[in-house]
């Protein structure tokens, strides 16, 4: 009797064989993610942006938030011009004499912080509500989904504008407003995945073992809904950054003393027609690069984590 060779076992045996050879699921996911050049570009840009944003206090030539370091006589200098003290402004200055390179690095830090933190809170709240509603079913699920549908029927920018018009400016207030307008996306996403997973055998087995409902929902059901949730959360980070930039541009976002990229664009908007393009253009380019990098990573994660697309 002959022994079956690994290649005779068919594709179903390929995954266990690779696992026995020490290839973990994480390594397979990473290998699949970096199959395309755009994946390298998106991941590289995102890592670079995160590094320069975190290291902004150490690599920025100037602290744009320190009024003692600003000189109004250096206002609106063109890129490459030197100040009276001999300092070269490679990206020019704004009307307050703020170095645009330093302002962009600090503004990128605030924009990424607001986008990531608001997404984490919104994802946690929305995922918990969505998976609990899907598991409960009945009137509870119907009520939660009607609330989600009601919120999603209004534009996110409109809700955020109303909230910030009442609360006023502030990074913490912007984050709370973004959490309120975003949680419904995650609730709807997780609810759709949880409805599929609710009928699986492992959920029935957990019920037969008389496990607490909270343990079934958060220890068994929710972890199996994570792949689509990760994709949505990645894309929503870019959406949160763009929404915060829009709110700051309209004057209801972050305070003037801590400008984000959106507020930097607003500060230079009045000078676009006068030839001083750099005050608004360079922060806009940084904002576009950040949003494109995050979207590239999110699109590639969707292809890798979606089993239908992987086939």
């Amino acid at each position: 009797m002959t022994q079956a060779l690994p290649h005779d076992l068919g594709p179903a045996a390929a995954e266990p064989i690779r696992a026995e050879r020490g290839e973990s699921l994480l390594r397979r996911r990473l290998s699949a993610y970096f199959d395309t050049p755009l994946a390298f570009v998106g991941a590289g840009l995102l890592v670079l942006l995160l590094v320069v944003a975190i290291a902004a206090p150490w690599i920025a030539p100037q602290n744009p938030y320190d009024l003692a370091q600003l000189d109004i006589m250096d206002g609106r200098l063109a890129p490459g011009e030197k100040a009276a003290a001999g300092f070269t402004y490679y990206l020019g200055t704004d009307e307050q004499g703020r170095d645009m390179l330093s302002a962009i690095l600090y503004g990128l830090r605030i924009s990424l912080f607001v986008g990531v933190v608001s997404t984490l809170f919104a994802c946690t709240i929305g995922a918990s509500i969505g998976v609990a509603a899907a598991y409960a079913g009945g009137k509870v699920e119907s009520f939660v989904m009607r609330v989600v549908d009601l919120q999603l029927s209004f534009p996110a920018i409109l809700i955020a504008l109303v909230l910030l018009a009442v609360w006023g400016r502030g990074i913490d207030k912007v984050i709370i407003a973004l959490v309120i307008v975003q949680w419904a996306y995650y609730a709807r996403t997780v609810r759709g995945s949880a409805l599929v997973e609710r009928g699986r055998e492992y959920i029935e087995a957990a019920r037969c073992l008389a496990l607490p409902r909270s343990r079934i929902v958060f220890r068994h059901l929710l972890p199996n809904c994570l792949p689509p949730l990760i994709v949505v959360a990645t894309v929503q980070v870019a959406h949160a950054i763009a929404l915060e930039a829009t709110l700051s541009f309209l004057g209801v976002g972050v305070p003037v003393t801590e400008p984000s990229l959106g507020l930097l664009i607003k500060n230079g908007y009045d000078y676009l027609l006068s030839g001083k393009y750099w005050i608004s253009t360079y922060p806009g380019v940084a904002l576009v690069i950040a949003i494109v990098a995050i979207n590239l990573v999110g699109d590639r994660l969707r292809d890798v984590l979606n089993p239908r697309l992987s086939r």
Side-chain angles (χ1 to χ4, degrees):
M1 185 175 182
T2 59
Q3 184 178 3
L5 296 177
H7 63 270
D8 296 329
L9 299 179
E15 295 295 327
I17 291 173
R18 284 198 294 266
E20 291 177 359
R21 293 175 181 174
E23 187 177 2
S24 64
L25 177 61
L26 178 60
R27 289 186 59 185
R28 293 197 298 272
R29 296 293 191 188
L30 289 176
S31 178
Y33 176 86
F34 289 107
D35 276 348
T36 62
L38 282 179
F40 282 98
V41 174
L45 282 176
L46 184 57
V47 171
L48 178 61
L49 292 174
L50 290 174
V51 170
V52 298
I54 294 174
W58 297 277
I59 65 177
Q62 178 192 77
N63 184 357
Y65 304 151
D66 188 0
L67 298 180
Q69 298 185 23
L70 304 182
D71 188 354
I72 194 65
M73 300 301 296
D74 294 335
R76 298 186 292 275
L77 293 179
E81 289 190 16
K82 290 187 177 181
F87 181 78
T88 302
Y89 296 104
Y90 294 101
L91 296 184
T93 62
D94 61 6
E95 74 280 1
Q96 298 176 0
R98 183 186 290 114
D99 176 37
M100 290 306 302
L101 177 59
S102 303
I104 289 173
L105 293 178
Y106 276 81
L108 181 64
R109 192 183 197 197
I110 292 179
S111 296
L112 290 176
F113 174 78
V114 171
V116 172
V117 172
S118 63
T119 299
L120 287 176
F121 279 105
C123 181
T124 302
I125 296 173
S128 301
I129 294 176
V131 71
Y135 185 79
K139 294 182 179 180
V140 175
E141 181 186 7
S142 299
F143 174 76
V144 172
M145 287 302 104
R146 296 298 76 76
V147 174
V148 169
D149 293 338
L150 179 63
Q151 175 161 337
L152 293 179
S153 64
F154 292 94
I157 183 67
L158 178 60
I159 300 176
L161 275 174
V162 172
L163 293 176
L164 291 176
V166 175
W167 296 340
R169 287 185 172 188
I171 295 179
D172 54 342
K173 298 172 183 176
V174 173
I175 292 176
I176 295 174
L178 292 179
V179 170
I180 292 176
V181 301
Q182 286 191 111
W183 72 269
Y185 295 102
Y186 304 102
R188 177 178 287 277
T189 301
V190 173
R191 180 250 184 183
S193 300
L195 288 177
V196 177
E197 297 294 329
R198 188 177 62 180
R200 303 284 186 182
E201 290 80 3
Y202 68 93
I203 297 297
E204 294 297 331
R207 289 171 176 168
C208 293
L209 292 174
L211 296 179
R213 178 172 296 186
S214 59
R215 181 174 179 179
I216 296 176
V217 171
F218 295 105
R219 293 285 299 276
H220 299 280
L221 187 57
L222 182 59
N224 287 280
C225 302
L226 287 181
L229 186 63
I230 293 173
V231 176
V232 173
T234 305
V235 177
Q236 283 299 115
V237 171
H239 178 68
I241 292 175
L243 187 57
E244 181 276 325
T246 303
L247 294 171
S248 297
F249 184 85
L250 296 175
V252 294
V254 298
V256 181
T257 55
E258 297 181 354
S260 64
L261 294 178
L263 190 56
L264 292 176
I265 297 172
K266 176 182 181 297
N267 292 338
Y269 178 75
D270 296 332
Y271 300 96
L272 283 176
L273 298 180
S274 62
K276 298 176 177 57
Y277 63 90
W278 59 88
I279 303 177
S280 184
T281 301
Y282 291 145
V285 171
L287 179 63
V288 170
I289 292 175
I291 292 176
V292 169
I294 296 173
N295 280 326
L296 287 176
V297 173
D299 289 342
R300 188 56 189 160
L301 285 175
R302 180 198 61 191
D303 297 338
V304 172
L305 297 178
N306 192 330
R308 295 187 180 90
L309 295 178
S310 64
R311 295 195 189 110

